[in-house]
Amino acid sequence: LQELPQCDKDGGSPSSLCGVDPTKLILESVNRHFHGNFSCIGINKAGPSNISPPVSLAVLYPPGKPEIVQNHEIVRKGGSITFTCLLKDPGRPAAKHFVWTRGDRLVNGQSSQNWTINPVTLSTQTNISCHAVNAAGEGIKVSKEISVLAQPSFVQPLAPLTAYLATAKHIQLSCQVECSPPCHIGWYRNGSFIKNTSHLYSITSHRIPPDLPANQAESTRSALRFNMENWPSGVLDHQHDNTDYSCQSTSNCAGSQTSHCQGVKSLTQFKVEFPPENLQISDTKIQVVENEKPRRILCAADGFPAPSFSWKFDNRKILKGPLLHFSKGIDRTYAGKYTCQASNHHGFK
């Protein structure tokens, strides 16, 4: 604000006021600091008048530069995150409308100061921006790069049961764990850690890049291969090699994070498959009085998968199942040799 008149020497006498009407206040280069109430008084030789009632001047201006803040330090896949377009200077009038973008695309239907994403997906990992809008115009746009972390979880766990034929030459277990930041996978036999340098096993691991359409973050795939050429006799032993194997990832906690980042574990029961063996029956010879019912005879055998049983008489199959029994007394025509047979898809005995 400048006091009037301001005349040069030849612009007229002070009493002429240089042609300016003193009852009017002229404001130049108006900015937000002109906002407020204005009053005036008149002055003559007798003194000043009473101050006039105030007149309000509202100076509108756009919102200031915002800051994007988030309610959680870590943005976690599958979790929830709220972003706030925080304004120190909301403008005049105070901004109520906000514009959010994800990458170079407008976020439709999102015009409030807070933006909540639930659940967080890999598409959240991008550059986001916001700016505020009021009646005076649009504020300054700011951006923020968002990284999405994924806690360890199985893409491919071990099967609950894994079975291989005793004479198999190519035996391998594998699992895949999604984790970002990356994690490592270790292998265990019956709870004991398997070293990468073991002569009985070979371990390979590699990273798999993210799959955005499948909402799958980067992952680690690991395989445990049996070096059968180094095993005793080059075959599995169903007496000693039936055991548990597990793959377990490390945690991928970042910074001070202690939750939603623990490692995961998958376990399989490893079974050795083999054809039936050790076939036995409860009685090898029985005698029975004619017209009486013989006692039952049980057939048993080892094998995996579990064998099925059948009984033959005179080269004819007469019963299915391990138990040979008669529902009534028998006569002499039933005398003879009864044979039990055990079988699975690897053979019979």
Side-chain angles (χ1 to χ4, degrees):
L1 296 177
Q2 294 181 337
E3 184 179 355
L4 296 177
Q6 291 184 347
C7 303
D8 55 28
K9 291 187 291 184
D10 301 324
S13 66
S15 62
S16 70
L17 299 178
C18 305
V20 175
D21 185 351
T23 64
K24 295 180 179 179
L25 176 64
I26 300 173
L27 304 179
E28 297 179 347
S29 300
V30 176
N31 60 43
R32 68 191 66 181
H33 302 295
F34 284 68
H35 180 86
N37 296 325
F38 289 82
S39 299
C40 68
I41 59 173
I43 301 175
N44 62 14
K45 292 182 179 181
S49 67
N50 294 328
I51 192 168
S52 70
V55 174
S56 295
L57 174 64
V59 180
L60 307 185
Y61 63 93
K65 182 179 180 180
E67 177 187 4
I68 299 177
V69 297
Q70 56 198 60
N71 63 334
H72 297 301
E73 176 186 0
I74 295 173
V75 183
R76 179 176 54 85
K77 177 189 168 186
S80 173
I81 191 72
T82 297
F83 299 108
T84 300
C85 196
L86 190 63
L87 285 171
K88 290 184 178 179
D89 185 355
R92 186 176 293 115
K96 302 296 183 184
H97 183 84
F98 294 81
V99 178
W100 291 90
T101 59
R102 189 203 307 256
D104 57 356
R105 291 189 173 185
L106 181 70
V107 180
N108 294 322
Q110 184 61 46
S111 60
S112 64
Q113 188 173 17
N114 297 320
W115 176 24
T116 298
I117 301 175
N118 187 18
V120 171
T121 64
L122 286 192
S123 64
T124 309
Q125 183 165 292
T126 185
N127 184 282
I128 66 170
S129 64
C130 77
H131 66 276
V133 180
N134 67 5
E138 297 188 358
I140 299 172
K141 180 179 179 179
V142 297
S143 300
K144 185 174 187 177
E145 192 70 30
I146 304 301
S147 296
V148 175
L149 305 187
Q151 69 184 83
S153 64
F154 278 105
V155 176
Q156 178 195 333
L158 295 173
L161 175 66
T162 301
Y164 277 93
L165 185 61
T167 56
K169 297 303 179 184
H170 303 284
I171 302 175
Q172 180 173 290
L173 305 176
S174 62
C175 66
Q176 183 177 340
V177 178
E178 176 189 45
C179 46
S180 179
C183 57
H184 301 282
I185 294 177
W187 288 92
Y188 297 81
R189 174 190 164 107
N190 198 26
S192 297
F193 181 69
I194 300 174
K195 296 181 180 180
N196 290 350
T197 56
S198 169
H199 75 288
L200 294 179
Y201 306 95
S202 295
I203 299 174
T204 56
S205 297
H206 63 278
R207 297 294 299 165
I208 298 176
D211 184 349
L212 290 178
N215 190 34
Q216 182 179 304
E218 60 180 324
S219 59
T220 299
R221 183 177 179 84
S222 183
L224 176 72
R225 187 176 73 85
F226 289 48
N227 299 329
M228 293 309 301
E229 65 275 11
N230 297 331
W231 286 62
S233 304
V235 296
L236 296 172
D237 184 339
H238 64 82
Q239 297 288 341
H240 301 99
D241 293 329
N242 287 335
T243 187
D244 293 335
Y245 285 90
S246 61
C247 68
Q248 183 171 339
S249 80
T250 58
S251 67
N252 68 341
C253 300
S256 60
Q257 184 185 14
T258 57
S259 62
H260 302 293
C261 57
Q262 296 87 350
V264 290
K265 178 180 179 180
S266 178
L267 182 144
T268 186
Q269 184 181 10
F270 188 88
K271 299 280 286 185
V272 179
E273 295 190 353
F274 60 99
E277 61 181 38
N278 298 328
L279 186 66
Q280 296 179 346
I281 56 175
S282 57
D283 283 298
T284 58
K285 184 177 181 180
I286 61 172
Q287 292 181 337
V288 60
V289 176
E290 191 171 23
N291 296 323
E292 289 187 356
K293 188 168 69 171
R295 63 178 175 271
R296 298 181 175 188
I297 301 175
L298 181 64
C299 182
D302 297 328
F304 190 80
S308 58
F309 298 88
S310 62
W311 286 90
K312 291 182 178 181
F313 178 63
D314 284 343
N315 291 321
R316 293 182 297 107
K317 186 179 291 187
I318 59 172
L319 281 174
K320 287 185 177 181
L323 192 63
L324 175 63
H325 63 94
F326 299 89
S327 59
K328 60 181 179 179
I330 60 174
D331 59 29
R332 65 193 68 184
T333 62
Y334 283 82
K337 185 177 181 180
Y338 291 79
T339 303
C340 173
Q341 180 174 285
S343 63
N344 62 17
H345 60 254
H346 296 303
F348 62 89
K349 187 172 181 66

mmCIF file of all heavy atoms in Angstrom, residues 175-216:
data_model
loop_
_atom_site.group_PDB
_atom_site.id
_atom_site.type_symbol
_atom_site.label_atom_id
_atom_site.label_comp_id
_atom_site.label_asym_id
_atom_site.label_seq_id
_atom_site.Cartn_x
_atom_site.Cartn_y
_atom_site.Cartn_z
ATOM 1 N N CYS A 175 10.506 -76.449 -4.488
ATOM 2 C CA CYS A 175 9.509 -75.539 -3.940
ATOM 3 C C CYS A 175 9.837 -74.133 -4.412
ATOM 4 O O CYS A 175 10.974 -73.834 -4.802
ATOM 5 C CB CYS A 175 9.436 -75.613 -2.413
ATOM 6 S SG CYS A 175 10.913 -75.032 -1.553
ATOM 7 N N GLN A 176 8.841 -73.262 -4.381
ATOM 8 C CA GLN A 176 9.000 -71.881 -4.848
ATOM 9 C C GLN A 176 8.335 -70.943 -3.845
ATOM 10 O O GLN A 176 7.183 -71.159 -3.453
ATOM 11 C CB GLN A 176 8.370 -71.717 -6.231
ATOM 12 C CG GLN A 176 8.549 -70.331 -6.843
ATOM 13 C CD GLN A 176 7.969 -70.249 -8.241
ATOM 14 O OE1 GLN A 176 7.760 -71.264 -8.903
ATOM 15 N NE2 GLN A 176 7.691 -69.037 -8.703
ATOM 16 N N VAL A 177 9.073 -69.917 -3.425
ATOM 17 C CA VAL A 177 8.602 -68.982 -2.393
ATOM 18 C C VAL A 177 8.620 -67.562 -2.952
ATOM 19 O O VAL A 177 9.647 -67.086 -3.441
ATOM 20 C CB VAL A 177 9.474 -69.062 -1.127
ATOM 21 C CG1 VAL A 177 8.991 -68.042 -0.089
ATOM 22 C CG2 VAL A 177 9.450 -70.465 -0.532
ATOM 23 N N GLU A 178 7.469 -66.909 -2.883
ATOM 24 C CA GLU A 178 7.381 -65.489 -3.239
ATOM 25 C C GLU A 178 7.913 -64.665 -2.076
ATOM 26 O O GLU A 178 7.493 -64.863 -0.927
ATOM 27 C CB GLU A 178 5.928 -65.128 -3.530
ATOM 28 C CG GLU A 178 5.699 -63.648 -3.807
ATOM 29 C CD GLU A 178 4.231 -63.293 -3.872
ATOM 30 O OE1 GLU A 178 3.464 -63.756 -2.990
ATOM 31 O OE2 GLU A 178 3.831 -62.559 -4.785
ATOM 32 N N CYS A 179 8.833 -63.747 -2.352
ATOM 33 C CA CYS A 179 9.351 -62.887 -1.287
ATOM 34 C C CYS A 179 10.084 -61.695 -1.896
ATOM 35 O O CYS A 179 10.938 -61.872 -2.760
ATOM 36 C CB CYS A 179 10.279 -63.646 -0.335
ATOM 37 S SG CYS A 179 11.513 -64.696 -1.125
ATOM 38 N N SER A 180 9.713 -60.513 -1.457
ATOM 39 C CA SER A 180 10.363 -59.283 -1.899
ATOM 40 C C SER A 180 10.440 -58.335 -0.708
ATOM 41 O O SER A 180 9.399 -57.930 -0.181
ATOM 42 C CB SER A 180 9.567 -58.630 -3.038
ATOM 43 O OG SER A 180 10.172 -57.431 -3.465
ATOM 44 N N PRO A 181 11.668 -58.016 -0.219
ATOM 45 C CA PRO A 181 12.983 -58.342 -0.752
ATOM 46 C C PRO A 181 13.231 -59.847 -0.823
ATOM 47 O O PRO A 181 12.529 -60.623 -0.173
ATOM 48 C CB PRO A 181 13.934 -57.668 0.251
ATOM 49 C CG PRO A 181 13.117 -56.701 1.020
ATOM 50 C CD PRO A 181 11.745 -57.232 1.041
ATOM 51 N N PRO A 182 14.243 -60.256 -1.599
ATOM 52 C CA PRO A 182 14.482 -61.688 -1.796
ATOM 53 C C PRO A 182 14.794 -62.420 -0.496
ATOM 54 O O PRO A 182 15.322 -61.841 0.457
ATOM 55 C CB PRO A 182 15.688 -61.710 -2.743
ATOM 56 C CG PRO A 182 15.711 -60.370 -3.390
ATOM 57 C CD PRO A 182 15.166 -59.418 -2.374
ATOM 58 N N CYS A 183 14.445 -63.706 -0.480
ATOM 59 C CA CYS A 183 14.786 -64.574 0.639
ATOM 60 C C CYS A 183 15.557 -65.773 0.095
ATOM 61 O O CYS A 183 15.647 -65.975 -1.109
ATOM 62 C CB CYS A 183 13.528 -65.021 1.397
ATOM 63 S SG CYS A 183 12.303 -65.873 0.357
ATOM 64 N N HIS A 184 16.087 -66.589 1.000
ATOM 65 C CA HIS A 184 16.832 -67.780 0.621
ATOM 66 C C HIS A 184 16.087 -69.019 1.122
ATOM 67 O O HIS A 184 15.339 -68.961 2.105
ATOM 68 C CB HIS A 184 18.250 -67.736 1.195
ATOM 69 C CG HIS A 184 19.053 -66.554 0.739
ATOM 70 N ND1 HIS A 184 19.639 -66.479 -0.502
ATOM 71 C CD2 HIS A 184 19.338 -65.382 1.367
ATOM 72 C CE1 HIS A 184 20.266 -65.337 -0.634
ATOM 73 N NE2 HIS A 184 20.106 -64.630 0.484
ATOM 74 N N ILE A 185 16.316 -70.143 0.453
ATOM 75 C CA ILE A 185 15.632 -71.395 0.798
ATOM 76 C C ILE A 185 16.664 -72.426 1.225
ATOM 77 O O ILE A 185 17.684 -72.611 0.554
ATOM 78 C CB ILE A 185 14.805 -71.923 -0.389
ATOM 79 C CG1 ILE A 185 13.646 -70.961 -0.694
ATOM 80 C CG2 ILE A 185 14.268 -73.317 -0.107
ATOM 81 C CD1 ILE A 185 12.819 -71.366 -1.901
ATOM 82 N N GLY A 186 16.383 -73.077 2.355
ATOM 83 C CA GLY A 186 17.228 -74.169 2.835
ATOM 84 C C GLY A 186 16.448 -75.472 2.847
ATOM 85 O O GLY A 186 15.209 -75.479 2.903
ATOM 86 N N TRP A 187 17.167 -76.594 2.792
ATOM 87 C CA TRP A 187 16.546 -77.923 2.767
ATOM 88 C C TRP A 187 16.934 -78.716 4.007
ATOM 89 O O TRP A 187 18.065 -78.597 4.515
ATOM 90 C CB TRP A 187 16.966 -78.685 1.506
ATOM 91 C CG TRP A 187 16.325 -78.158 0.264
ATOM 92 C CD1 TRP A 187 16.821 -77.196 -0.580
ATOM 93 C CD2 TRP A 187 15.055 -78.540 -0.270
ATOM 94 N NE1 TRP A 187 15.944 -76.953 -1.603
ATOM 95 C CE2 TRP A 187 14.841 -77.770 -1.440
ATOM 96 C CE3 TRP A 187 14.074 -79.458 0.108
ATOM 97 C CZ2 TRP A 187 13.698 -77.888 -2.228
ATOM 98 C CZ3 TRP A 187 12.930 -79.587 -0.662
ATOM 99 C CH2 TRP A 187 12.750 -78.817 -1.811
ATOM 100 N N TYR A 188 15.987 -79.545 4.470
ATOM 101 C CA TYR A 188 16.188 -80.323 5.690
ATOM 102 C C TYR A 188 15.703 -81.757 5.473
ATOM 103 O O TYR A 188 14.684 -81.993 4.808
ATOM 104 C CB TYR A 188 15.422 -79.701 6.864
ATOM 105 C CG TYR A 188 15.884 -78.307 7.224
ATOM 106 C CD1 TYR A 188 15.438 -77.197 6.502
ATOM 107 C CD2 TYR A 188 16.765 -78.100 8.282
ATOM 108 C CE1 TYR A 188 15.876 -75.919 6.819
ATOM 109 C CE2 TYR A 188 17.195 -76.818 8.609
ATOM 110 C CZ TYR A 188 16.742 -75.734 7.877
ATOM 111 O OH TYR A 188 17.157 -74.468 8.192
ATOM 112 N N ARG A 189 16.462 -82.707 6.025
ATOM 113 C CA ARG A 189 16.040 -84.113 6.062
ATOM 114 C C ARG A 189 15.797 -84.482 7.516
ATOM 115 O O ARG A 189 16.703 -84.421 8.338
ATOM 116 C CB ARG A 189 17.110 -85.023 5.453
ATOM 117 C CG ARG A 189 16.787 -86.523 5.606
ATOM 118 C CD ARG A 189 17.979 -87.382 5.206
ATOM 119 N NE ARG A 189 17.810 -88.738 5.691
ATOM 120 C CZ ARG A 189 17.510 -89.780 4.923
ATOM 121 N NH1 ARG A 189 17.362 -89.616 3.620
ATOM 122 N NH2 ARG A 189 17.381 -90.990 5.437
ATOM 123 N N ASN A 190 14.564 -84.825 7.808
ATOM 124 C CA ASN A 190 14.177 -85.201 9.173
ATOM 125 C C ASN A 190 14.649 -84.152 10.187
ATOM 126 O O ASN A 190 15.126 -84.474 11.268
ATOM 127 C CB ASN A 190 14.745 -86.582 9.517
ATOM 128 C CG ASN A 190 14.046 -87.207 10.714
ATOM 129 O OD1 ASN A 190 12.891 -86.901 11.007
ATOM 130 N ND2 ASN A 190 14.750 -88.074 11.423
ATOM 131 N N GLY A 191 14.555 -82.866 9.794
ATOM 132 C CA GLY A 191 14.909 -81.771 10.689
ATOM 133 C C GLY A 191 16.372 -81.372 10.666
ATOM 134 O O GLY A 191 16.742 -80.376 11.288
ATOM 135 N N SER A 192 17.224 -82.122 9.967
ATOM 136 C CA SER A 192 18.656 -81.802 9.908
ATOM 137 C C SER A 192 18.959 -81.062 8.613
ATOM 138 O O SER A 192 18.543 -81.502 7.535
ATOM 139 C CB SER A 192 19.501 -83.076 9.992
ATOM 140 O OG SER A 192 19.305 -83.724 11.240
ATOM 141 N N PHE A 193 19.711 -79.973 8.728
ATOM 142 C CA PHE A 193 20.018 -79.131 7.582
ATOM 143 C C PHE A 193 20.882 -79.880 6.580
ATOM 144 O O PHE A 193 21.843 -80.573 6.947
ATOM 145 C CB PHE A 193 20.727 -77.864 8.049
ATOM 146 C CG PHE A 193 21.073 -76.905 6.952
ATOM 147 C CD1 PHE A 193 20.078 -76.210 6.278
ATOM 148 C CD2 PHE A 193 22.396 -76.705 6.576
ATOM 149 C CE1 PHE A 193 20.394 -75.317 5.262
ATOM 150 C CE2 PHE A 193 22.728 -75.817 5.575
ATOM 151 C CZ PHE A 193 21.721 -75.124 4.915
ATOM 152 N N ILE A 194 20.547 -79.755 5.294
ATOM 153 C CA ILE A 194 21.325 -80.373 4.223
ATOM 154 C C ILE A 194 22.268 -79.323 3.647
ATOM 155 O O ILE A 194 21.817 -78.299 3.115
ATOM 156 C CB ILE A 194 20.407 -80.928 3.116
ATOM 157 C CG1 ILE A 194 19.451 -81.991 3.694
ATOM 158 C CG2 ILE A 194 21.229 -81.521 1.987
ATOM 159 C CD1 ILE A 194 18.410 -82.481 2.706
ATOM 160 N N LYS A 195 23.554 -79.549 3.741
ATOM 161 C CA LYS A 195 24.534 -78.602 3.239
ATOM 162 C C LYS A 195 24.592 -78.651 1.710
ATOM 163 O O LYS A 195 24.357 -79.693 1.100
ATOM 164 C CB LYS A 195 25.919 -78.919 3.806
ATOM 165 C CG LYS A 195 26.020 -78.756 5.320
ATOM 166 C CD LYS A 195 27.424 -79.059 5.798
ATOM 167 C CE LYS A 195 27.542 -78.890 7.310
ATOM 168 N NZ LYS A 195 28.919 -79.190 7.794
ATOM 169 N N ASN A 196 24.889 -77.495 1.123
ATOM 170 C CA ASN A 196 25.004 -77.432 -0.341
ATOM 171 C C ASN A 196 26.126 -78.316 -0.870
ATOM 172 O O ASN A 196 26.140 -78.695 -2.047
ATOM 173 C CB ASN A 196 25.236 -75.988 -0.789
ATOM 174 C CG ASN A 196 24.001 -75.127 -0.599
ATOM 175 O OD1 ASN A 196 22.931 -75.637 -0.308
ATOM 176 N ND2 ASN A 196 24.160 -73.831 -0.758
ATOM 177 N N THR A 197 27.081 -78.646 -0.004
ATOM 178 C CA THR A 197 28.239 -79.438 -0.430
ATOM 179 C C THR A 197 28.038 -80.932 -0.202
ATOM 180 O O THR A 197 28.962 -81.717 -0.386
ATOM 181 C CB THR A 197 29.492 -78.977 0.331
ATOM 182 O OG1 THR A 197 29.248 -79.063 1.748
ATOM 183 C CG2 THR A 197 29.850 -77.542 -0.021
ATOM 184 N N SER A 198 26.834 -81.364 0.192
ATOM 185 C CA SER A 198 26.583 -82.777 0.458
ATOM 186 C C SER A 198 26.794 -83.607 -0.809
ATOM 187 O O SER A 198 26.346 -83.228 -1.897
ATOM 188 C CB SER A 198 25.153 -82.963 0.971
ATOM 189 O OG SER A 198 24.803 -84.336 1.005
ATOM 190 N N HIS A 199 27.461 -84.771 -0.684
ATOM 191 C CA HIS A 199 27.687 -85.622 -1.853
ATOM 192 C C HIS A 199 26.443 -86.414 -2.224
ATOM 193 O O HIS A 199 26.351 -86.930 -3.343
ATOM 194 C CB HIS A 199 28.870 -86.566 -1.617
ATOM 195 C CG HIS A 199 28.564 -87.706 -0.688
ATOM 196 N ND1 HIS A 199 28.388 -87.533 0.683
ATOM 197 C CD2 HIS A 199 28.383 -89.034 -0.935
ATOM 198 C CE1 HIS A 199 28.133 -88.701 1.239
ATOM 199 N NE2 HIS A 199 28.121 -89.625 0.288
ATOM 200 N N LEU A 200 25.478 -86.502 -1.313
ATOM 201 C CA LEU A 200 24.246 -87.241 -1.600
ATOM 202 C C LEU A 200 23.206 -86.373 -2.311
ATOM 203 O O LEU A 200 22.284 -86.907 -2.935
ATOM 204 C CB LEU A 200 23.642 -87.810 -0.312
ATOM 205 C CG LEU A 200 24.443 -88.882 0.411
ATOM 206 C CD1 LEU A 200 23.732 -89.319 1.681
ATOM 207 C CD2 LEU A 200 24.689 -90.076 -0.503
ATOM 208 N N TYR A 201 23.339 -85.050 -2.200
ATOM 209 C CA TYR A 201 22.328 -84.146 -2.753
ATOM 210 C C TYR A 201 23.014 -83.002 -3.508
ATOM 211 O O TYR A 201 24.147 -82.625 -3.210
ATOM 212 C CB TYR A 201 21.447 -83.543 -1.658
ATOM 213 C CG TYR A 201 20.790 -84.538 -0.745
ATOM 214 C CD1 TYR A 201 21.378 -84.882 0.471
ATOM 215 C CD2 TYR A 201 19.573 -85.123 -1.086
ATOM 216 C CE1 TYR A 201 20.768 -85.787 1.329
ATOM 217 C CE2 TYR A 201 18.953 -86.032 -0.233
ATOM 218 C CZ TYR A 201 19.565 -86.363 0.967
ATOM 219 O OH TYR A 201 18.954 -87.260 1.808
ATOM 220 N N SER A 202 22.280 -82.432 -4.452
ATOM 221 C CA SER A 202 22.681 -81.186 -5.117
ATOM 222 C C SER A 202 21.531 -80.201 -4.996
ATOM 223 O O SER A 202 20.364 -80.566 -5.201
ATOM 224 C CB SER A 202 22.996 -81.434 -6.598
ATOM 225 O OG SER A 202 24.112 -82.278 -6.750
ATOM 226 N N ILE A 203 21.848 -78.967 -4.645
ATOM 227 C CA ILE A 203 20.822 -77.932 -4.451
ATOM 228 C C ILE A 203 21.062 -76.812 -5.443
ATOM 229 O O ILE A 203 22.176 -76.295 -5.575
ATOM 230 C CB ILE A 203 20.854 -77.384 -3.011
ATOM 231 C CG1 ILE A 203 20.561 -78.501 -2.003
ATOM 232 C CG2 ILE A 203 19.851 -76.241 -2.846
ATOM 233 C CD1 ILE A 203 20.713 -78.089 -0.550
ATOM 234 N N THR A 204 20.008 -76.435 -6.161
ATOM 235 C CA THR A 204 20.083 -75.297 -7.082
ATOM 236 C C THR A 204 18.948 -74.332 -6.764
ATOM 237 O O THR A 204 17.837 -74.760 -6.424
ATOM 238 C CB THR A 204 19.973 -75.750 -8.549
ATOM 239 O OG1 THR A 204 18.755 -76.490 -8.732
ATOM 240 C CG2 THR A 204 21.147 -76.624 -8.940
ATOM 241 N N SER A 205 19.222 -73.040 -6.870
ATOM 242 C CA SER A 205 18.208 -72.008 -6.621
ATOM 243 C C SER A 205 18.356 -70.906 -7.658
ATOM 244 O O SER A 205 19.479 -70.618 -8.105
ATOM 245 C CB SER A 205 18.351 -71.419 -5.210
ATOM 246 O OG SER A 205 18.139 -72.398 -4.210
ATOM 247 N N HIS A 206 17.245 -70.293 -8.032
ATOM 248 C CA HIS A 206 17.302 -69.144 -8.931
ATOM 249 C C HIS A 206 16.111 -68.234 -8.690
ATOM 250 O O HIS A 206 15.073 -68.677 -8.171
ATOM 251 C CB HIS A 206 17.374 -69.570 -10.399
ATOM 252 C CG HIS A 206 16.170 -70.331 -10.880
ATOM 253 N ND1 HIS A 206 16.007 -71.684 -10.668
ATOM 254 C CD2 HIS A 206 15.076 -69.928 -11.563
ATOM 255 C CE1 HIS A 206 14.864 -72.088 -11.196
ATOM 256 N NE2 HIS A 206 14.275 -71.041 -11.746
ATOM 257 N N ARG A 207 16.285 -66.971 -9.068
ATOM 258 C CA ARG A 207 15.245 -65.969 -8.879
ATOM 259 C C ARG A 207 14.317 -65.947 -10.082
ATOM 260 O O ARG A 207 14.744 -66.118 -11.226
ATOM 261 C CB ARG A 207 15.861 -64.577 -8.699
ATOM 262 C CG ARG A 207 16.739 -64.441 -7.465
ATOM 263 C CD ARG A 207 15.951 -64.565 -6.187
ATOM 264 N NE ARG A 207 14.933 -63.531 -6.057
ATOM 265 C CZ ARG A 207 13.928 -63.578 -5.192
ATOM 266 N NH1 ARG A 207 13.782 -64.619 -4.404
ATOM 267 N NH2 ARG A 207 13.064 -62.593 -5.126
ATOM 268 N N ILE A 208 13.036 -65.744 -9.807
ATOM 269 C CA ILE A 208 12.024 -65.628 -10.854
ATOM 270 C C ILE A 208 11.439 -64.222 -10.783
ATOM 271 O O ILE A 208 11.023 -63.778 -9.705
ATOM 272 C CB ILE A 208 10.925 -66.695 -10.676
ATOM 273 C CG1 ILE A 208 11.544 -68.096 -10.811
ATOM 274 C CG2 ILE A 208 9.807 -66.509 -11.691
ATOM 275 C CD1 ILE A 208 10.584 -69.215 -10.556
ATOM 276 N N PRO A 209 11.417 -63.489 -11.898
ATOM 277 C CA PRO A 209 10.935 -62.092 -11.872
ATOM 278 C C PRO A 209 9.442 -62.018 -11.561
ATOM 279 O O PRO A 209 8.723 -63.014 -11.653
ATOM 280 C CB PRO A 209 11.250 -61.589 -13.283
ATOM 281 C CG PRO A 209 11.329 -62.822 -14.127
ATOM 282 C CD PRO A 209 11.861 -63.908 -13.241
ATOM 283 N N PRO A 210 8.963 -60.821 -11.218
ATOM 284 C CA PRO A 210 7.526 -60.658 -10.889
ATOM 285 C C PRO A 210 6.638 -60.984 -12.086
ATOM 286 O O PRO A 210 7.023 -60.827 -13.246
ATOM 287 C CB PRO A 210 7.420 -59.178 -10.504
ATOM 288 C CG PRO A 210 8.811 -58.746 -10.189
ATOM 289 C CD PRO A 210 9.718 -59.573 -11.038
ATOM 290 N N ASP A 211 5.437 -61.418 -11.771
ATOM 291 C CA ASP A 211 4.403 -61.678 -12.772
ATOM 292 C C ASP A 211 3.222 -60.767 -12.441
ATOM 293 O O ASP A 211 2.374 -61.110 -11.616
ATOM 294 C CB ASP A 211 3.999 -63.154 -12.731
ATOM 295 C CG ASP A 211 2.986 -63.522 -13.810
ATOM 296 O OD1 ASP A 211 2.441 -62.596 -14.454
ATOM 297 O OD2 ASP A 211 2.722 -64.723 -14.007
ATOM 298 N N LEU A 212 3.199 -59.575 -13.050
ATOM 299 C CA LEU A 212 2.175 -58.579 -12.706
ATOM 300 C C LEU A 212 0.758 -59.065 -12.985
ATOM 301 O O LEU A 212 -0.133 -58.876 -12.146
ATOM 302 C CB LEU A 212 2.451 -57.267 -13.443
ATOM 303 C CG LEU A 212 3.694 -56.491 -12.971
ATOM 304 C CD1 LEU A 212 3.875 -55.237 -13.807
ATOM 305 C CD2 LEU A 212 3.578 -56.137 -11.501
ATOM 306 N N PRO A 213 0.458 -59.685 -14.152
ATOM 307 C CA PRO A 213 -0.928 -60.152 -14.384
ATOM 308 C C PRO A 213 -1.405 -61.135 -13.318
ATOM 309 O O PRO A 213 -2.591 -61.172 -12.997
ATOM 310 C CB PRO A 213 -0.852 -60.808 -15.768
ATOM 311 C CG PRO A 213 0.300 -60.145 -16.435
ATOM 312 C CD PRO A 213 1.286 -59.876 -15.348
ATOM 313 N N ALA A 214 -0.471 -61.923 -12.787
ATOM 314 C CA ALA A 214 -0.848 -62.903 -11.755
ATOM 315 C C ALA A 214 -0.727 -62.321 -10.345
ATOM 316 O O ALA A 214 -0.977 -63.031 -9.367
ATOM 317 C CB ALA A 214 0.026 -64.143 -11.879
ATOM 318 N N ASN A 215 -0.346 -61.039 -10.235
ATOM 319 C CA ASN A 215 -0.149 -60.388 -8.934
ATOM 320 C C ASN A 215 0.845 -61.178 -8.085
ATOM 321 O O ASN A 215 0.662 -61.362 -6.884
ATOM 322 C CB ASN A 215 -1.480 -60.223 -8.178
ATOM 323 C CG ASN A 215 -1.343 -59.346 -6.942
ATOM 324 O OD1 ASN A 215 -0.564 -58.390 -6.919
ATOM 325 N ND2 ASN A 215 -2.083 -59.671 -5.897
ATOM 326 N N GLN A 216 1.910 -61.646 -8.723
ATOM 327 C CA GLN A 216 2.926 -62.424 -8.031
ATOM 328 C C GLN A 216 4.240 -61.660 -8.041
ATOM 329 O O GLN A 216 4.766 -61.305 -9.094
ATOM 330 C CB GLN A 216 3.103 -63.779 -8.713
ATOM 331 C CG GLN A 216 4.126 -64.686 -8.034
ATOM 332 C CD GLN A 216 4.239 -66.016 -8.738
ATOM 333 O OE1 GLN A 216 3.256 -66.730 -8.914
ATOM 334 N NE2 GLN A 216 5.449 -66.359 -9.175
#
